[in-house]
Each structure stands twice: as C-alpha cells, then as structure tokens.
Amino acid sequence: MGGPVRKIIPAAAAIAVAALLTAACSSSGSSQTSAGTTPGNGSKGDAAGVAQAKAFIAPFAKGTQVTLNIPLKERPAPGKQIYWLQNNIPDELSVTSGFNAAAKLLGWHVHTLVVSPGDPSQVNSAVQQAVTAGAGFIAVDTAPIQEYQQAMDAAKAAHIPVFGLFGTDQPEGATNGLYQQIGPSDFSLFGSITANYNIAASNGTAHELLVDVPSFTVLGPMVAAEKAAYAKNCPTTCSLYVLNLSPAQADNSSEAASIVVSYLQEHPQTKYVRFAYGGVLSTDFTDALKAANLGSSGIVVDGSNPVLSNLQEVLAGTQQMWVGLPLALSAWYTVDAMARYSEGMSLASSQLPTLPTQMLTKSDVTQPINPQGYAGPPGYESVFENLWHVS
C-alpha cells in the first residue's frame, strides 16, 4: 500500500445483484462473526459496553500525536542514498512526497523505483537494482519478503538494511534483513476505532457490514480487531458480517457497490457499512444506494484510510466518519528508523510504531480538503527536526 492496501496476488449496476452476492460470498468466504439479535425500535445495547466504546474512541476525536521522543545521538551524516520502491497507484505519491521531504531535511537523496504491486518479478528486480547501485537504505512498500527473497539475500550480503511499509513481515534485523515495518499495528487500531465508533453511535445496536478484500493481507489485523471489539463491548445486541470481495471486484467500483447494496436489500436491519479502505472500493456506493431507493434509509457509512473523495462525502453528509492514515508521515517514521540505524541506535522504540490518526467527521474536515486525505497532526515536521538536531 502506500495507500491503505496492496494486492498481494495489490491500492481501494446492470448485473444480477443476487447472483453477484452469492458469487462474492461463496468464492471469497464471507463470514458472520457475531450473530447478535435484531433490536426492536428504541432498544438499547449493554450500557457498560457502550460506555467502554465511547471511552475507547474519545482520544481519537481530536487526533493523536507523533510518539517518537528519543533524540538521535547527533545530526545524521549527509549524503545517504535511499532507494524507495513506489507502487504505481495514486496514493503512493503521498508516501514519496514524505520520503523526499524527510530526506531533504537530512541532506539525503531519494531514488524512486516505480513497481507494479502484485508483480513479484518487478519487486525483486527493483531491490536488486538498489543493491547493485550501492544503496544506503532500501524501503519496500507492502511486498512480503518471499516475493523478493533472492534480492533480499543480496541486500543482506551487501549489508544494506531494508525497511518495510504496510507489510506483514516482522522485522528481525540481520536475521531476515528487515529492520522496521510500518502498518500492522495501525490497521489493528483502525478496526478497534471503527467498531467502537459504531457501537457508540448506535447505542449498542449496530449491525455492521464490513467490506473487506482478504487478499490484501495487511487488512487482516483490522478485521480481527473489529471482531474483538464487538465481542467485548456489544456481544449480544450488535452483529458484524464480513463481506469478502476479490481484488477484481474491489477494483470495479460499480460492481463492488452493487454487491454491497444487494446485501443491504436482503438484510434491511444492517445500517452500518464499513469499508476496509477508501477510494475505488467506496466510490460508487452513494449513487448505488440512491438508485436502490436506500438513500434515506439511515445507513451510516464509515471506514479507514480515506482519500479526497471520501472526505468530500463526509462534508456532504453522505458518509459519516473515516479514520485517517497519514501516508506522507509514514515515510518520515521510516527515515527516522534509517537515521537511528545509521548511528547504531536501537530500533526497539520504532519497530512497530503506531502512526498518528484521527476520526474524521464533518466537524473535523476543513476546506480546502488536503489532497492527501489525512496528513497527520499539524507541524509534525518540527518534532523530527528536534529529534534529528536539524532545527
């Protein structure tokens, strides 16, 4: 992902909708994760669980901050060469901009190698290219090590550390060649935030449809966290149904919308629709709801990792809440880890850092909307300037 997701095999209707839904469920393994009950009008969920849900989401209403707080030993030496493998999807440009800005502050240089996500040969070749060029550091977005094991072995032999963004491999340093991984903890947090938001907003009666793409493995912790949140805070009066789409379905916005609307027509008690990520997966959903005469049915739409169009819908009132993922800032965190490595410092404090985030509702989206969707806390650059002794 740069961007929220990547197809591992990626990033996020005039069809017979009943047949589409059947195909989507049977081929990709949708699952009912909490049976729950169907509350009657005016019914309420467990008061203690609702209170716990509200308490959990409270810190994210105004946004969290950069948590890195251990300064470098000294200002990093200039001239380091970062080779960054950018997936050729639009969201990646935000990550690239973050790498360029952070590297410039240190007097380092970024070489961007564009690859097609889901094509292991391109990833392996790009990593090998970086090794041959004598990279100081290599940054890989979402690709599992198994896709570029040959090139990773070359990087290890050349003592070139690799840093990951939004992948699922655990960083083991010299053992597997990966020294940091940004992502899994963020998506787990997103799942907890969204589930608890829906529990609180519904007063403990949420019946949620989670639209997921299981081939994007970084989303796995998010789904697990949603299930856990409902099991803890709303086990009997809420329900969660996970609708698994294939990558091809997720990349066809009208098809994805048709499948989701079909589910809602067959399950009218479902009033919460949560998209695993923003962008194409949710692009045509509002129009599809209106076409099916569900536009005024009280359906709450939310998700995580919004793009510009999602925040525009939040302002318009057609979508309610998105949990932000600061893509450019993820690159700053990665460069910070590279700088610590260059000075022989421990990476323990930044092995799996959770990036700042915020629940973005109508009152939180300012105009003009940032093209990145969510950029992180204002002025975060100054935190790194102080940590890196370049202020």
Side-chain angles (χ1 to χ4, degrees):
M1 150 169 302
V5 294
R6 170 181 179 278
K7 300 179 184 178
I8 298 302
I9 44 181
I15 303 171
V17 290
L20 266 176
L21 180 60
T22 301
C25 294
S26 62
S27 65
S28 49
S30 300
S31 57
Q32 180 81 35
T33 61
S34 175
T37 60
T38 303
N41 292 333
S43 64
K44 297 180 181 180
D46 178 69
V50 172
Q52 291 174 4
K54 291 180 178 179
F56 182 88
I57 64 176
F60 306 103
K62 295 301 180 183
T64 54
Q65 302 297 314
V66 174
T67 57
L68 301 175
N69 57 17
I70 301 176
L72 299 180
K73 293 179 181 178
E74 58 187 2
R75 180 170 180 160
K80 299 290 185 180
Q81 306 295 311
I82 300 173
Y83 279 74
W84 153 236
L85 274 65
Q86 175 195 298
N87 290 334
N88 62 348
I89 55 178
D91 286 355
E92 292 284 81
L93 297 177
S94 295
V95 187
T96 300
S97 71
F99 271 115
N100 288 332
K104 182 178 180 180
L105 198 63
L106 297 178
W108 292 5
H109 184 71
V110 178
H111 304 266
T112 301
L113 307 177
V114 179
V115 299
S116 175
D119 186 341
S121 64
Q122 288 194 24
V123 176
N124 191 75
S125 295
V127 173
Q128 184 60 61
Q129 179 182 342
V131 172
T132 302
F137 308 100
I138 300 172
V140 179
D141 187 14
T142 68
I145 292 176
Q146 65 183 20
E147 288 192 358
Y148 60 97
Q149 187 64 64
Q150 183 179 13
M152 173 64 93
D153 291 342
K156 289 169 62 177
H159 304 291
I160 301 172
V162 176
F163 296 77
L165 291 88
F166 307 110
T168 54
D169 292 304
Q170 292 294 314
E172 298 175 3
T175 301
N176 68 349
L178 188 68
Y179 285 79
Q180 186 201 47
Q181 183 71 269
I182 294 286
S185 59
D186 297 280
F187 284 91
S188 178
L189 178 60
F190 295 163
S192 297
I193 292 173
T194 308
N196 281 297
Y197 175 87
N198 290 342
I199 292 169
S202 68
N203 204 19
T205 63
H207 293 280
E208 178 189 321
L209 175 65
L210 168 55
V211 185
D212 185 34
V213 186
S215 292
F216 303 159
T217 55
V218 73
L219 299 177
M222 181 196 70
V223 176
E226 286 231 23
K227 294 178 180 179
Y230 277 108
K232 177 182 179 182
N233 290 334
C234 198
T236 59
T237 54
C238 293
S239 65
L240 172 65
Y241 188 87
V242 182
L243 177 62
N244 293 325
L245 300 185
S246 70
Q249 291 168 329
D251 274 352
N252 185 326
S253 59
S254 62
E255 181 176 351
S258 180
I259 294 171
V260 175
V261 167
S262 179
Y263 178 90
L264 296 175
Q265 290 173 321
E266 295 185 3
H267 302 83
Q269 76 275 19
T270 301
K271 297 299 182 183
Y272 287 80
V273 176
R274 187 267 206 263
F275 289 98
Y277 57 92
V280 65
L281 184 63
S282 59
T283 298
D284 288 334
F285 184 61
T286 297
D287 288 340
L289 278 180
K290 293 178 181 178
N293 295 318
L294 294 175
S296 59
S297 59
I299 293 174
V300 174
V301 180
D302 51 31
S304 53
N305 192 19
V307 298
L308 177 62
S309 62
N310 297 120
L311 298 186
Q312 289 172 332
E313 290 215 42
V314 169
L315 281 179
T318 53
Q319 297 180 3
Q320 280 66 44
M321 189 280 291
W322 285 80
V323 185
L325 175 63
L327 293 176
L329 183 51
S330 70
W332 284 76
Y333 270 62
T334 305
V335 173
D336 178 81
M338 293 173 175
R340 294 175 191 280
Y341 175 90
S342 73
E343 298 189 0
M345 297 180 66
S346 170
L347 294 180
S349 64
S350 60
Q351 282 287 28
L352 291 172
T354 299
L355 296 167
T357 190
Q358 182 177 4
M359 295 189 306
L360 301 168
T361 62
K362 191 171 185 177
S363 62
D364 305 306
V365 179
T366 57
Q367 299 188 64
I369 303 174
N370 191 312
Q372 294 183 12
Y374 171 69
Y380 66 77
E381 297 88 349
S382 63
V383 175
F384 292 93
E385 290 174 357
N386 291 326
L387 293 175
W388 299 345
H389 309 289
V390 295
S391 57

